[in-house]
């Protein structure tokens, strides 16, 4: 259970089937298409858009190219290549189709797909780093694919900063037996908007970790969809977000278990500070009849640090077979605990330091799981700064 | 030599039925090295006294004074009170997820003394104190009170008393929920800290059992928000034999 502000009791309640609006009969039945025209312009009452301020996102739904782009800086370890594919070439890779109008427009109009290729059996000592910076508020269609060959090990860190309206399609193709960690960091300026569809395709016996760190941006909405091409695949989805006044940070995950004996584990933690700070987390898991031996768990926790903030948290689990290892979810949203504060203060610790201790403690577990030291250190530093700033 | 002076303290709390007066004029004076036991039936206001002195926001002081060596305690924030030398061992210590015991203890010690403790001495002090309280060294890496048993929580409270070296320690039902072995270990910790630092102790308890291990100099019986009777250790023995019944007039609400 999760809903925090009581004004709209019908929204955000804990449901197992997305029941409050007109639900899809199953999560699997949602439209997926490469044609922009197959998706009407959303009005905001659709199940998948109901939490999103679509009125601020009109440019994202236009079916036309803009020609704008972000500034790129990349650092590629030896053996890793960066090339450009045409959209038809990209589709020939067998990639998942876009699942909403913004993603379909981004895929169609990006003008080319940036392909990061990690060769089979490569073991990267350093992460692939891509830093994308927006310099003006034009709509940018961004289209990236990360392809990691069989048995390779790779970490990819993509950072976003600056001012932009960024509509993104990112595809991660993890070859059989590969180990992939993809970190996406959103540290946009407050005026920026970012809609992203991330598709993670987990190969047979592959292990993929997708880590979303969302700290900056006016509206950020990431849809992360995971599918498996064979048995033995493992997906870990981690997320950390911190919303200040005026920010809308939304993370939606969909794990589609079709192959048997695969695992998924999702843990997202967020803090909200300041009036009108807003976060949304939706975690959909579908275990299809064929996905015997699935083991899945998802967890979302939100910590509200001041009045007027609102967090929605909606886990959905659809199970079509009983032959599974385990399936569960947990969701909780709570206020900053005054009793914790009293306990720490009663030991002489000043209030601001006590708050920092508690918030650091709240994030400590999930941050430790990220496993990329440079990202962890940076993230904790930013959280400290956010707390020191008191939500400004 | 320190003195904690409580004079004519009145405290209210907000309930669903409105404002309720819990303390109705409490007067107590505790000097360094003294142990005062506060005993009384459930609901008599014992814990309210403890939390009011510590500054819990739930309680409103409507009258009276609390001073430590002449300084106005009631004007201080919760953390200022702790830094002034007050310590409250809580009946229900709170979990703080993600904050390890060792980090917590070091942060608290730094706050109370105004400077970070010298690492080498500190590590030894913590280790020794934990050893005395029969706490596994692995305890230091666990999150504060998270998944602790009742006995572990109480030992952890007394560990803090030993390490933070307060002038005045208020122990709120530290004995409740402890088996005899744990009670003895915790009591030894209180005595050790008291002996070493000369702290004054205000021991709040429902039972006389802990008083066999921590010897009180004074016993105050709390009934209905004020001290109903005061005396020496012999009063505790009398309560042990007779219970609290004689403090309840027959026509009083339960």
């Amino acid at each position: 259970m999760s809903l925090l502000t009581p004004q709209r009791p019908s929204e955000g309640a804990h449901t197992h089937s997305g029941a409050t609006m007109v639900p899809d009969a199953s999560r699997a039945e949602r439209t997926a298409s490469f044609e922009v025209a197959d998706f009407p312009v959303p009005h905001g009452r659709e199940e998948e858009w109901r939490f999103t301020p679509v009125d601020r996102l009109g440019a994202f739904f236009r079916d036309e190219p803009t020609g704008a782009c972000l500034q790129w800086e990349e650092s590629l370890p030896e053996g890793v290549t960066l090339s450009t594919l045409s959209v038809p070439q990209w589709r020939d890779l067998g990639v998942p189709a876009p699942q909403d109008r913004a993603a379909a427009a981004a895929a169609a109009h990006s003008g080319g797909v940036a392909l990061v290729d990690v060769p089979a059996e490569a073991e990267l000592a350093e992460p692939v780093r891509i830093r994308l910076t927006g310099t003006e508020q034009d709509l940018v269609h961004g289209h990236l694919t990360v392809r990691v060959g069989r048995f390779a090990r790779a970490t990819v860190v993509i950072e976003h900063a600056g001012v932009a309206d960024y509509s993104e399609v990112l595809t991660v193709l993890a070859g059989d037996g590969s180990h992939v960690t993809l970190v996406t960091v959103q540290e946009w300026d407050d005026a920026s908007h970012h809609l992203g569809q991330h598709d993670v395709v987990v190969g047979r016996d592959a292990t993929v970790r997708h880590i979303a760190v969302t700290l900056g941006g006016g509206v950020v909405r990431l849809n992360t969809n995971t599918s498996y091409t064979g048995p033995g695949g493992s997906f870990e989805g981690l997320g950390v977000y911190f919303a200040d006044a005026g920010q809308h940070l939304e993370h939606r995950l969909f794990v589609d278990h079709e192959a048997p004996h695969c695992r998924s584990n999702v843990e997202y933690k967020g803090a909200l500070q300041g009036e009108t700070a807003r976060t949304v987390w939706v975690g959909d898991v579908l275990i299809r009849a064929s996905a015997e031996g699935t083991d899945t768990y998802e967890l979302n926790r939100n910590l509200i640090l001041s009045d007027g903030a609102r967090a929605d948290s909606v886990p959905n689990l659809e199970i079509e077979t009983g032959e599974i290892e385990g399936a569960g979810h947990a969701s909780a949203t709570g206020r900053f605990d005054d009793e914790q504060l009293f306990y720490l203060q009663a030991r002489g610790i000043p209030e601001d330091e006590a708050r920092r201790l508690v918030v650091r403690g709240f994030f400590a577990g999930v941050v430790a799981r990220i496993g990329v030291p440079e990202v962890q250190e940076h993230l904790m530093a930013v959280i400290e700064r956010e707390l020191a700033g008191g939500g400004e | 030599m320190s003195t904690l002076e409580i004079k004519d303290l009145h405290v209210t709390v907000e309930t669903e039925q409105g404002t309720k007066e819990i303390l109705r004029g409490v007067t107590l004076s505790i000097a360094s090295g003294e142990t005062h036991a506060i005993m009384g039936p459930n609901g008599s206001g014992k814990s309210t006294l403890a939390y009011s002195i510590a500054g819990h926001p739930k309680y409103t002081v409507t009258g009276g004074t609390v001073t430590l060596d002449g300084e106005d305690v009631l004007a201080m924030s919760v953390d200022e009170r702790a830094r002034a030398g007050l310590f409250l061992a809580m009946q229900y210590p709170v979990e703080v997820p993600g904050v390890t015991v060792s980090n917590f203890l070091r942060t608290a010690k730094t706050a109370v003394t105004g400077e970070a403790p010298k690492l080498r001495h500190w590590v030894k002090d913590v280790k020794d104190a934990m050893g005395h309280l029969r706490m596994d060294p692995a305890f230091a890496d666990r999150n504060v009170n998270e998944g602790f048993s009742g006995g572990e929580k109480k030992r952890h409270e007394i560990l803090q008393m030993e390490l933070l070296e307060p002038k005045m320690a208020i122990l709120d039902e530290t004995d409740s929920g402890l088996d005899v072995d744990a009670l003895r270990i915790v009591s030894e910790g209180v005595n050790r800290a008291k002996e070493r630092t000369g702290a004054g102790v205000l021991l709040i308890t429902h039972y006389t059992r802990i008083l066999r291990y921590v010897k009180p100099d004074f016993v105050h019986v709390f009934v209905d928000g004020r001290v109903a009777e005061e005396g020496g250790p012999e009063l505790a023995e009398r309560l042990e034999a007779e219970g609290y019944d004689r403090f309840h007039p027959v026509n009083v609400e339960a």
Side-chain angles (χ1 to χ4, degrees):
Chain A
M1 255 326 270
S2 52
L3 184 69
L4 234 251
T5 11
Q7 294 91 320
R8 289 194 281 172
S10 66
E11 276 198 13
H14 183 158
T15 63
H16 283 259
S17 58
T20 45
M21 296 292 152
V22 181
D24 303 311
S26 162
R27 182 63 174 80
E29 289 171 20
R30 208 168 284 179
T31 309
S33 167
F34 292 94
E35 302 301 323
V36 180
D38 287 344
F39 302 94
V41 174
H43 44 67
R45 291 185 299 280
E46 302 82 356
E47 172 62 30
E48 67 267 42
W49 290 103
R50 66 192 175 109
F51 296 113
T52 315
V54 291
D55 51 329
R56 285 148 75 181
L57 302 168
F60 286 82
F61 306 123
R62 277 186 217 124
D63 188 7
E64 60 191 25
T66 68
C69 54
L70 300 176
Q71 219 175 44
W72 270 69
E73 292 164 68
E74 75 269 348
S75 143
L76 306 176
E78 209 180 317
V80 179
T81 58
L82 178 62
S83 56
T84 307
L85 296 179
S86 68
V87 172
Q89 285 171 319
W90 171 72
R91 288 179 56 175
D92 286 345
L93 299 176
V95 295
Q99 294 207 10
D100 64 36
R101 187 173 172 96
H109 300 308
S110 63
V113 184
L115 174 69
V116 175
D117 241 322
V118 178
E121 300 189 27
E123 304 231 352
L124 304 187
E126 284 289 302
V128 175
R129 294 191 185 86
I130 298 170
R131 185 171 174 81
L132 303 175
T133 310
T135 50
E136 47 206 324
Q137 195 94 47
D138 297 330
L139 185 80
V140 176
H141 292 122
H143 200 168
L144 278 87
T145 292
V146 174
R147 183 168 62 183
V148 178
R150 305 166 56 114
F151 304 116
R153 280 179 175 269
T155 295
V156 180
V157 179
I158 304 173
E159 295 172 283
H160 303 92
V163 181
D165 281 352
Y166 187 48
S167 189
E168 176 202 24
V169 174
L170 169 70
T171 312
V172 178
L173 303 171
D176 293 349
S178 64
H179 281 77
V180 183
T181 296
L182 183 124
V183 185
T184 174
V185 181
Q186 289 65 244
E187 280 188 85
W188 301 103
D189 292 351
D190 283 350
S192 298
H193 305 114
H194 178 185
L195 300 186
Q197 175 172 325
H198 293 185
D199 290 296
V200 176
V201 182
V202 182
R204 184 187 170 117
D205 297 319
T207 298
V208 182
R209 310 173 67 234
H210 177 279
I211 299 159
V213 175
T214 304
L215 303 166
V219 177
V220 177
R221 181 190 201 257
L222 295 183
N223 293 323
T224 302
N225 307 313
T226 300
S227 57
Y228 301 82
T229 63
S234 179
F235 171 77
E236 187 171 44
L238 303 179
V240 174
Y241 47 92
F242 197 117
D244 289 331
Q247 283 187 298
H248 174 102
L249 307 182
E250 178 168 346
H251 297 88
R252 291 173 167 262
L253 292 104
F254 173 39
V255 183
D256 187 347
H257 281 282
E258 186 160 18
H261 301 288
C262 290
R263 288 176 299 280
S264 62
N265 186 289
V266 171
E267 179 178 353
Y268 270 62
K269 285 192 154 187
L272 297 85
Q273 172 169 268
E275 199 145 332
T276 71
R278 183 85 162 79
T279 67
V280 177
W281 179 86
V282 179
D284 294 335
V285 173
L286 168 60
I287 303 173
R288 296 181 192 254
S290 54
E292 294 183 356
T294 294
D295 190 359
T296 176
Y297 193 79
E298 40 177 7
L299 176 142
N300 176 231
R301 296 245 184 281
N302 296 295
L303 179 61
I304 305 235
L305 297 171
S306 59
D307 289 340
R310 176 184 164 127
D312 286 282
S313 179
V314 188
N316 297 301
L317 187 52
E318 273 181 84
I319 307 178
E320 295 175 352
T321 172
E323 302 296 315
I324 57 172
E325 290 287 319
H329 59 225
S331 156
T333 297
R335 286 191 172 278
F336 192 85
D337 187 338
D338 290 338
E339 292 301 327
Q340 286 180 353
L341 199 60
F342 174 73
Y343 187 75
L344 295 169
Q345 282 190 268
R347 299 304 178 244
I349 302 168
E351 180 177 350
D352 54 345
E353 199 181 342
R355 290 176 78 90
R356 276 205 296 277
L357 263 185
V358 171
V359 175
R360 243 188 275 146
F362 174 76
F363 283 119
V366 68
V367 171
R369 284 179 71 187
I370 291 176
V372 183
E374 63 190 53
V375 173
Q376 290 171 215
E377 284 157 27
H378 175 69
L379 173 56
M380 289 317 279
V382 172
I383 289 171
E384 296 280 334
R385 213 160 56 224
E386 297 269 4
L387 289 168
E392 296 311 310
Chain B
M1 191 69 185
S2 289
T3 309
L4 179 67
E5 288 269 0
I6 302 156
K7 277 189 191 154
D8 195 26
L9 189 66
H10 289 254
V11 172
T12 61
V13 65
E14 295 305 318
T15 70
E16 282 172 17
Q17 290 81 40
T19 305
K20 192 174 171 209
E21 186 169 51
I22 310 279
L23 298 188
R24 302 156 180 257
V26 176
T27 299
L28 272 178
S29 176
I30 301 142
S32 295
E34 293 178 353
T35 299
H36 292 245
I38 293 197
M39 307 195 60
N42 288 329
S44 58
K46 304 186 302 282
S47 286
T48 299
L49 177 66
Y51 278 87
S52 301
I53 296 170
H56 194 285
K58 189 176 142 192
Y59 302 98
T60 308
V61 175
T62 54
T65 59
V66 178
T67 59
L68 179 63
D69 299 331
E71 298 288 325
D72 183 1
V73 169
L74 300 178
M76 299 178 194
S77 65
V78 175
D79 47 300
E80 283 168 348
R81 296 176 196 208
R83 294 200 295 275
L86 292 173
F87 178 83
L88 169 62
M90 299 194 198
Q91 187 180 358
Y92 303 109
V94 181
E95 291 182 10
V96 190
V99 179
T100 61
V101 167
S102 70
N103 182 18
F104 166 66
L105 292 174
R106 199 176 52 246
T107 306
K109 183 69 179 173
T110 304
V112 164
T113 58
E115 57 177 348
K118 298 271 181 294
L119 197 61
R120 199 149 32 97
H121 295 295
W122 176 248
V123 170
K124 185 176 179 302
D125 289 349
V126 173
K127 202 170 152 246
D128 289 350
M130 286 177 65
H132 289 316
L133 290 164
R134 318 271 201 286
M135 297 167 82
D136 191 314
F139 211 82
D141 299 322
R142 291 171 64 184
N143 292 331
V144 172
N145 293 320
E146 200 176 59
F148 287 18
S149 69
E152 285 172 335
K153 284 183 183 171
K154 297 303 174 71
R155 287 180 209 209
H156 181 233
E157 293 295 288
I158 300 308
L159 174 67
Q160 294 168 56
M161 178 188 169
E162 289 205 54
L163 292 169
L164 299 180
E165 304 178 326
K167 291 178 183 160
M168 291 290 158
I170 303 163
L171 312 181
D172 185 18
E173 304 211 14
T174 296
D175 54 334
S176 63
L178 294 184
D179 62 34
V180 175
D181 288 339
L183 180 66
R184 214 186 52 244
I185 291 165
V186 161
S187 300
E188 284 167 9
V190 173
N191 291 331
R192 205 164 38 238
K194 210 187 132 193
E195 204 163 296
R196 192 163 51 82
T197 64
V201 172
L202 188 62
L203 187 80
I204 292 171
T205 181
H206 185 74
Y207 307 103
T208 53
R209 198 174 55 143
I210 192 174
L211 304 182
R212 290 178 214 152
Y213 303 99
V214 181
K215 298 283 183 206
D217 303 299
F218 304 93
V219 174
H220 313 266
V221 181
F222 239 58
V223 177
D224 203 19
R226 52 167 76 92
V227 177
E229 191 167 343
E230 293 179 295
E234 74 288 346
L235 181 54
E237 283 154 30
R238 197 171 158 204
L239 286 170
E240 169 90 355
E242 297 175 7
Y244 295 111
D245 288 350
R246 72 190 165 93
F247 296 101
H248 285 289
V250 280
N251 59 346
V252 151
E253 62 199 306

